[in-house]
Amino acid sequence: MAALTLDDVRHVANLAALELDDRDPEELEALRAELSAILEFMADLDAVDVTGVEPTAHPFPMASPLRPDEVLDVVPRERLMAAAPRTQDGAFAVPKVLEGDS
Amino acid sequence: MSEATKSALSSVSWTELSIAEQAARVSRGELSAVELCRHYLTRIERLDVALRSFLHVDAEGALAQAAAVDAARAAGEALGPLAGVPLSLKDNLCTRGLATSCASRILEGYIPPYDAHVVERLREAGAVILGKSNLDEFAMGSSTENSAFGASKNPWDPKRVPGGSSGGSAAATAARLAAASLGSDTGGSVRQPAAYCGVTAIKPSYGRVSRYGLVAFASSLDQVGPIARDVADAATLLGVIAGHDRRDATSVEREVPDYAAECGRDPKGLRVGVVREAIEGCEASVRAAIETAMEALSGLGCELVEVELPNASHSIAAYYIIAPAEASSNLARFDGMRYGLRVAADDLAATYRKTRSQGFGAEVRRRIMLGTYALSAGYFDAYYLKAQRVRTRIRQDFDAAFERCDLLLTPTAPTVAFESGAHADPLSMYKQDIFTLPASLAGVAALSMPCGLGEAGLPVGLQLSAPAFEEAPMIRMAHALERQLGVLPLTPPGYGGEA
Amino acid sequence: MNASYETVIGLEVHAQLRTHSKLFCGCSTQFGAPPNAHTCPTCLGLPGSLPVPNAAAIELAMRAALAVGCEVRERSVFERKNYFYPDLAKGYQISQYALPLNVAGKLEVETEAGGRRVIGITRIHLEEDAAKNLHSSAAAQTLVDFNRAGVALIEIVSEPDLRSSAEAEQYLRNLREILMAVGVNDGNLEEGSFRCDANVSIRAPGATELGTRTELKNINSFRFVRKAIDYEAARHHAVIAGGGKIVQETRLWDDAQGKTVPMRSKEEAMDYRYFPDPDLPPIVVSAAQIEAAAGVLPELPATKRARYVAELGLTAADAGVLTSHPALSGFFEATVEELSSRLGGRIEPARAGKRAANFIQAEVLRDFSADGLEASLPLSAAALSELLALLEAGSISGKMAKGVLAEMIASGKPAAKIVEEQGLSQVSDSALIEEVVRKVVDGSPDNVAAYRAGKQNVVGWFVGQVMKETRGQANPRMVNELLRKLLEGE
């Protein structure tokens, strides 16, 4: 588990849609160092022998319950969209999407 | 004696009543729900300035709910087990029509269109919701210092933190600004603040209580838990909120025992496993209080055995990979498109980045980064998968320990409440969770109760944990121990019931 | 087919499942509602919402898989595919990655040489659909409608076994037909319930390694499939022949310009950070459930066609037409069965089949219409079989039958009643017909002479006269037979 580079930090920020202030290199470096230190601490896990052990995705072995195929009326549209930053003609208005697919 | 005098005299002790007793008196017409509600609202107005335990107080709504309870009683209708009981809810529980901010700027002013499952249960039971309690932003933290709207204080000492992430809930309960509260626990977030504030909290077994309407932090760890002044109240609340909910696929279909009825039952015969390593790993005053409690346990006829959780020390690393990983995905929905903050920007990509960077605080951004990294290509196996395997080992440790005992005992936290700013370094903050994390990872039931006062006269918390869905014997033991220790009532100086 | 390169195609089909509610919430899947009319906290990704899987979606996904010979896994896992896009409410799509529900099936296509090839199906997994982006009149914004968000989809991934755009089109037609036949998907390309992406690459003939591929997204009609794939393969060839390298990217088919255009490419391939969804425990289906699903699978179209040809007397062309929609094949089979039963089983299946097939194609098909899996036919199989029984018995002629059918459709009355009301019974009494034929023949010696002199088509005139005498009711076959006997013999 190697330490993070600044490029790593930028890549991760990009994946997470977070902005990094490139104008302040000191702050960027501080973030890098901080994240690195935390990740280095995770090397602690190397000490654990996990041969033959399955990962736990859910605490107890469960099978998902299934829902019957019924239409349920939950909440009226106006209430659901009341918190929208912007709407138009009943749709959510968002900054323009440039790709052609839909 | 005039009615006014009688009323004034008896109101002094309303906040000392158990919630069951409050509800009983309201149901019998001996206590007006509106009067009770007003009493707490007045206390909040007077005392919460110093604590900042509440983010939103809904005086109008609460009084209306209380009036409805009184009207129902007057009409001879049957009332629920929490009739008129004034509660606060951690502000990551969705309340319809009432602001739910998760202590974050990205949800500032957000009003959910629906109630969380547990909120529905409380309303059905006749409870009155005073308002929403402060927390670390999106439940990420152990001190409530990460709230975007200001930290809460510990009522025992304003220079100290109330713990986190359910700090507001614990502080309000301890200060008698609410009869009890609901918080959420992912890595210790109801237990540790309860320990720091001298109140009692339960982290239910994973799946015991529905997460529908709890804003998700780490989905495989989150549980809603009661924070109350004693075991009986915590048990009462748990009984109301526990049970299956079809809207949560991880909620289990198991019968809910009568938890409140466990209070007063004889715990003799229960074997308690002591994790010696944990007790030796904490501060002297904490250790002393725990050892006193252990003697009391023996006095109750409970056998103490030494057990080990060999992989528990790795729970910090495992948790701080798994929880941020799940959180990084759970918080992706906060993007400014359908609700919450949207920061105007040049294009779509910039809108996402600016909204999220300005909307989320530093700790949340840090955890999102960690989590994203842990899941990313090339690191998934080494971090996320490895951590989940270590988690299995920790579960196995609990399984093995529970073959030799019925309950485990550790301190809740290695120290008493620390001073604000003491753990500015994130890693040092994470390490404070060492005793609460293992039970979260294993999904078992756990409870924190005050077992005495430690350094600087601050409360010390004792943690019991039980196998999954064995909350009942855990409550039985805790209640008996509480009685035996005689530490309660625990009132922070200045927060007594004098109105 | 270009001899200088081999085209390699893999197809990914996204087919919406015909469930009433969405995959993870109880919102309606009905198409055509006003924007966001079918939404809830879960499909809008509101804080605190949670997904719960739809039992019918699991069932239909299993059925689709079994119909193409896939193995159904007893334990499969939903995973989160994480990326940011306005049509993705939660910032992740719930899909299946490492442990999909179904693996390893196959589909047959006919090659251009007329043989058959087997195309492998790698996997079929469940996932939720995204919202729809609508254009806005305002310049800098897009409108998003979440009605579609959360609808259950199966993604069917083929092995890169296809070798031409023709095969690709066939694969898609066959797949669509199968999904419709088993009631899983309504085959509606216009409404977007059946969508296809194609992965295209080329390589030298005989090479074993795959070339760099490009992905063509959202090919929404069978017409576009061939054009887009042919264009793209040629484009690959031109780039490589010109010394360049194919960039692995996603492209769209622009029908107006007749070419593929790149979508705005991202500098790096997207890292979706798949991990098992902690809100959803694994999907567990028992061996018994899988067996039960296999047990209720209806007969597949290819099997039907083979049976129609082998047992019901149809040509391959007939069979193709009658299996072009499940409602049509159902109608045909019911008609044959009823016809056989009306005739006390005394008619051979091949004869019944052929008669029904011919009549349906000639007279009923024009009134058949379909919208997805919904279809309407102008009359019932029972009613039609009654008409065909009369025809078979010789009680009415083919020409009469057309008229009776029209009246049946217009009035709803049964065939026998109409025949009776209109006095249409065909005369098949040979003695009676012979009498009329003799009368006509004897009454026209000139035409008889003309016939015997070689003018064969004067028979038509004689037939016409006989028909006039019998008001069109003489059995034409018998008339012809008797006429020829009289005209030639004696």
Side-chain angles (χ1 to χ4, degrees):
Chain A
M1 299 190 182
L4 283 184
T5 64
L6 276 180
D7 271 343
D8 289 331
V9 175
R10 285 196 187 92
H11 174 68
V12 172
N14 195 39
L15 284 178
L18 289 174
E19 196 165 58
L20 290 176
D21 195 351
D22 260 317
R23 289 168 299 165
D24 192 339
E26 259 179 50
E27 222 181 281
L28 202 55
E29 170 55 30
L31 176 64
R32 186 208 67 77
E34 193 177 68
L35 291 173
S36 276
I38 295 171
L39 287 168
E40 268 163 46
F41 175 77
M42 304 312 175
D44 167 83
L45 292 183
D46 292 343
V48 185
D49 175 14
V50 290
T51 13
V53 174
E54 286 299 304
T56 295
H58 306 94
F60 314 118
M62 297 178 207
S64 182
L66 299 177
R67 199 174 37 87
D69 188 20
E70 285 164 0
V71 173
L72 300 170
D73 238 329
V74 183
V75 185
R77 172 172 88 179
E78 306 69 48
R79 273 224 314 258
L80 288 171
M81 296 181 71
R86 200 190 228 138
T87 62
Q88 185 179 300
D89 306 327
F92 291 89
V94 303
K96 190 148 193 78
V97 174
L98 290 166
E99 313 287 25
D101 76 339
S102 131
Chain B
M1 191 184 287
S2 71
E3 282 304 321
T5 314
K6 249 198 237 167
S7 170
L9 280 176
S10 60
S11 77
V12 167
S13 51
W14 288 345
T15 58
E16 300 313 300
L17 295 174
S18 72
I19 61 182
E21 184 57 24
Q22 283 182 353
R25 290 195 188 187
V26 166
S27 298
R28 290 196 300 261
E30 290 166 24
L31 179 52
S32 146
V34 169
E35 287 306 310
L36 185 60
C37 179
R38 273 217 188 95
H39 184 69
Y40 280 95
L41 287 172
T42 309
R43 285 182 64 83
I44 292 169
E45 216 179 288
R46 204 162 53 82
L47 299 165
D48 201 41
V49 182
L51 289 181
R52 205 195 268 117
S53 72
F54 277 87
L55 283 178
H56 332 282
V57 178
D58 181 24
E60 204 182 299
L63 286 169
Q65 290 159 39
V69 170
D70 283 339
R73 191 208 53 79
E77 288 167 30
L79 299 181
L82 296 180
V85 176
L87 301 173
S88 79
L89 304 177
K90 186 174 183 181
D91 202 26
N92 62 355
L93 283 166
C94 285
T95 42
R96 186 174 138 191
L98 182 54
T100 300
S101 70
C102 299
S104 177
R105 296 224 175 274
I106 217 168
L107 279 183
E108 192 171 2
Y110 172 69
I111 299 181
Y114 74 101
D115 272 338
H117 176 80
V118 296
V119 176
E120 285 178 350
R121 290 282 185 101
L122 292 181
R123 292 198 205 274
E124 267 163 37
V128 167
I129 294 164
L130 294 166
K132 311 301 286 298
S133 302
N134 201 11
L135 61 153
D136 282 299
E137 189 180 354
F138 284 109
M140 298 185 196
S142 309
S143 65
T144 312
E145 292 171 300
N146 293 328
S147 166
F149 306 117
S152 299
K153 307 288 179 207
N154 191 318
W156 290 86
D157 178 350
K159 291 190 315 301
R160 294 180 189 256
V161 302
S165 58
S166 313
S169 287
T173 303
R176 280 96 168 127
L177 304 187
S181 187
L182 285 188
S184 72
D185 192 307
T186 305
S189 291
V190 298
R191 291 165 283 160
Q192 181 251 41
Y196 283 3
C197 292
V199 292
T200 300
I202 297 176
K203 181 202 86 70
S205 315
Y206 185 80
R208 178 77 281 188
V209 177
S210 167
R211 292 182 298 114
Y212 183 74
L214 169 67
V215 181
F217 160 16
S219 315
S220 73
L221 298 158
D222 291 343
Q223 273 292 282
V224 176
I227 298 177
R229 288 183 309 101
D230 60 23
V231 174
D233 279 0
T236 302
L237 265 183
L238 182 61
V240 171
I241 62 173
H244 182 239
D245 176 15
R246 276 212 230 119
R247 296 167 296 188
D248 175 356
T250 59
S251 136
V252 301
E253 248 181 283
R254 285 174 80 115
E255 216 182 290
V256 180
D258 186 346
Y259 295 125
E262 290 295 325
C263 301
R265 289 212 177 118
D266 189 350
K268 189 160 71 176
L270 287 174
R271 296 162 301 161
V272 177
V274 174
V275 184
R276 178 56 59 185
E277 197 184 23
I279 295 168
E280 274 159 20
C282 52
E283 189 222 340
S285 73
V286 171
R287 182 151 96 224
I290 299 288
E291 282 169 351
T292 306
M294 281 163 59
E295 281 164 30
L297 274 175
S298 300
L300 286 171
C302 298
E303 187 193 338
L304 294 173
V305 298
E306 292 242 335
V307 296
E308 270 177 21
L309 294 174
N311 292 289
S313 62
H314 302 293
S315 54
I316 300 173
Y319 175 86
Y320 280 100
I321 288 172
I322 294 168
E326 294 183 5
S328 70
S329 180
N330 284 328
L331 268 60
R333 67 190 62 200
F334 300 106
D335 58 9
M337 300 293 128
R338 288 147 289 114
Y339 48 82
L341 178 72
R342 181 192 287 182
V343 175
D346 292 336
D347 59 29
L348 182 65
T351 306
Y352 281 136
R353 286 196 313 265
K354 289 203 185 301
T355 297
R356 289 165 60 79
S357 300
Q358 289 177 35
F360 289 138
E363 182 60 29
V364 172
R365 294 199 311 270
R366 187 177 297 130
R367 295 202 194 187
I368 288 175
M369 297 276 283
L370 281 173
T372 304
Y373 186 75
L375 291 174
S376 64
Y379 299 105
F380 179 79
D381 283 7
Y383 285 102
Y384 184 76
L385 225 44
K386 181 71 188 263
Q388 292 282 38
R389 289 199 163 98
V390 171
R391 182 180 185 176
T392 305
R393 276 260 179 261
I394 292 170
R395 251 179 55 212
Q396 289 170 349
D397 283 354
F398 273 90
D399 290 342
F402 284 131
E403 299 208 340
R404 300 179 46 232
C405 65
D406 304 297
L407 302 166
L408 288 179
L409 181 150
T410 68
T412 305
T415 65
V416 295
F418 50 84
E419 294 197 359
S420 309
H423 294 290
D425 169 37
L427 202 46
S428 83
M429 182 74 85
Y430 299 164
K431 289 177 182 173
Q432 299 307 305
D433 297 334
I434 180 66
F435 301 141
T436 50
L437 294 177
S440 303
L441 290 167
V444 299
L447 174 155
S448 175
M449 55 184 286
C451 65
L453 295 177
E455 188 186 307
L458 294 160
V460 174
L462 175 150
Q463 176 178 242
L464 291 174
S465 37
F469 309 107
E470 294 297 306
E471 283 84 351
M474 181 177 75
I475 287 168
R476 187 188 327 148
M477 180 82 260
H479 186 263
L481 182 56
E482 180 188 89
R483 261 216 202 124
Q484 186 79 344
L485 286 172
V487 164
L488 299 190
L490 221 46
T491 311
Y495 290 95
E498 325 81 46
Chain C
M1 183 70 123
N2 191 319
S4 62
Y5 62 83
E6 178 179 65
T7 310
V8 175
I9 305 154
L11 294 176
E12 281 170 24
V13 168
H14 288 90
Q16 284 183 349
L17 298 181
R18 290 180 69 237
T19 56
H20 300 298
S21 60
K22 296 183 179 181
L23 181 51
F24 294 112
C25 65
C27 289
S28 166
T29 55
Q30 194 131 63
F31 187 82
N36 296 300
H38 298 319
T39 57
C40 74
T42 296
C43 55
L44 281 180
L46 296 194
S49 61
L50 290 172
V52 182
N54 181 335
I58 311 297
E59 175 72 31
L60 291 181
M62 271 204 293
R63 227 192 271 175
L66 292 167
V68 292
C70 280
E71 176 198 323
V72 177
R73 276 223 169 81
E74 284 179 26
R75 185 171 169 277
S76 66
V77 172
F78 282 113
E79 304 208 31
R80 296 188 183 179
K81 180 180 181 182
N82 299 280
Y83 63 99
F84 290 93
Y85 214 59
D87 68 1
L88 201 60
K90 298 182 291 298
Y92 60 85
Q93 177 198 30
I94 302 178
S95 178
Q96 293 186 309
Y97 185 64
L99 289 176
L101 184 62
N102 312 294
V103 289
K106 59 189 184 342
L107 193 63
E108 275 191 2
V109 294
E110 272 175 21
T111 62
E112 288 173 306
R116 307 195 73 79
R117 277 187 60 227
V118 171
I119 308 299
I121 290 177
T122 319
R123 52 187 277 148
I124 300 182
H125 71 251
L126 277 160
E127 60 183 34
E128 51 176 355
D129 209 343
K132 244 181 128 52
N133 293 336
L134 313 167
H135 288 301
S136 165
S137 45
Q141 76 182 14
T142 297
L143 300 179
V144 191
D145 170 15
F146 285 86
N147 284 346
R148 196 182 70 176
V151 168
L153 293 176
I154 40 172
E155 180 175 326
I156 303 161
V157 181
S158 84
E159 296 283 342
D161 289 345
L162 296 157
R163 294 287 172 266
S164 73
S165 64
E167 283 184 4
E169 184 185 340
Q170 248 203 58
Y171 171 92
L172 291 174
R173 287 190 185 278
N174 290 354
L175 181 61
R176 174 177 173 271
E177 182 183 72
I178 289 173
L179 294 181
M180 288 175 74
V182 298
V184 162
N185 175 272
D186 68 12
N188 202 324
L189 277 83
E190 300 77 45
E191 286 178 3
S193 66
F194 185 91
R195 317 196 283 258
C196 175
D197 299 335
N199 289 307
V200 180
S201 65
I202 63 171
R203 62 186 179 193
T208 47
E209 272 184 34
L210 294 172
T212 308
R213 62 177 168 82
T214 53
E215 186 182 4
L216 303 182
K217 268 200 110 51
N218 277 345
I219 303 172
N220 287 338
S221 84
F222 290 122
R223 268 187 312 126
F224 294 171
V225 167
R226 298 186 62 161
K227 288 158 85 176
I229 291 176
D230 286 339
Y231 175 91
E232 187 63 9
R235 188 187 72 82
H236 279 219
H237 180 64
V239 166
I240 294 172
K245 275 198 153 136
I246 295 294
V247 174
Q248 182 169 333
E249 62 182 353
T250 305
R251 300 173 73 90
L252 295 174
W253 172 248
D254 183 334
D255 197 53
Q257 296 193 63
K259 57 187 209 167
T260 62
V261 292
M263 284 175 71
R264 263 168 54 112
S265 66
K266 296 155 173 118
E267 300 93 54
E268 28 202 328
M270 194 47 181
D271 179 0
Y272 294 116
R273 287 157 282 134
Y274 283 98
F275 71 103
D277 194 328
D279 288 329
L280 293 164
I283 298 294
V284 173
V285 292
S286 67
Q289 279 173 286
I290 298 170
E291 241 179 79
V296 299
L297 270 188
E299 186 182 35
L300 296 181
T303 317
K304 265 193 207 301
R305 284 190 284 270
R307 182 167 63 85
Y308 289 0
V309 168
E311 296 169 20
L312 294 182
L314 269 52
T315 62
D318 292 335
V321 170
L322 292 172
T323 55
S324 65
H325 193 283
L328 197 51
S329 56
F331 179 74
F332 165 68
E333 289 176 17
T335 302
V336 170
E337 203 181 301
E338 298 254 4
L339 176 59
S340 178
S341 142
R342 278 178 193 278
L343 296 177
R346 279 173 286 111
I347 182 171
E348 275 181 32
R351 190 180 164 81
K354 193 66 188 163
R355 183 169 290 285
N358 286 349
F359 197 86
I360 290 172
Q361 288 180 87
E363 306 299 335
V364 181
L365 208 51
R366 71 176 82 93
D367 289 322
F368 170 76
S369 63
D371 175 21
L373 279 177
E374 305 284 308
S376 72
L377 283 148
L379 79 171
S380 71
L384 178 61
S385 69
E386 190 193 354
L387 178 63
L388 294 180
L390 290 173
L391 196 54
E392 186 60 28
S395 308
I396 53 171
S397 66
K399 192 162 155 219
M400 289 173 179
K402 290 187 201 200
V404 173
L405 179 70
E407 181 60 24
M408 284 169 77
I409 293 173
S411 68
K413 291 187 201 157
K417 190 142 175 61
I418 295 170
V419 165
E420 192 193 310
E421 281 173 3
Q422 295 187 7
L424 285 178
S425 287
Q426 184 170 256
V427 176
S428 296
D429 179 344
S430 57
L432 209 79
I433 293 180
E434 194 173 331
E435 199 185 304
V436 174
V437 167
R438 277 191 190 280
K439 181 172 158 210
V440 167
V441 165
D442 291 346
S444 185
D446 306 326
N447 282 323
V448 175
Y451 179 83
R452 286 183 185 157
K455 227 171 139 204
Q456 302 260 312
N457 51 6
V458 81
V459 164
W461 180 86
F462 279 108
V463 171
Q465 292 302 105
V466 172
M467 285 309 190
K468 228 163 94 179
E469 284 283 327
T470 61
R471 278 167 299 133
Q473 288 179 354
N475 182 322
R477 193 176 37 84
M478 291 182 92
V479 168
N480 269 291
E481 261 174 48
L482 283 165
L483 260 178
R484 285 195 197 269
K485 250 171 54 184
L486 285 182
L487 290 171
E488 296 193 2
E490 291 194 342

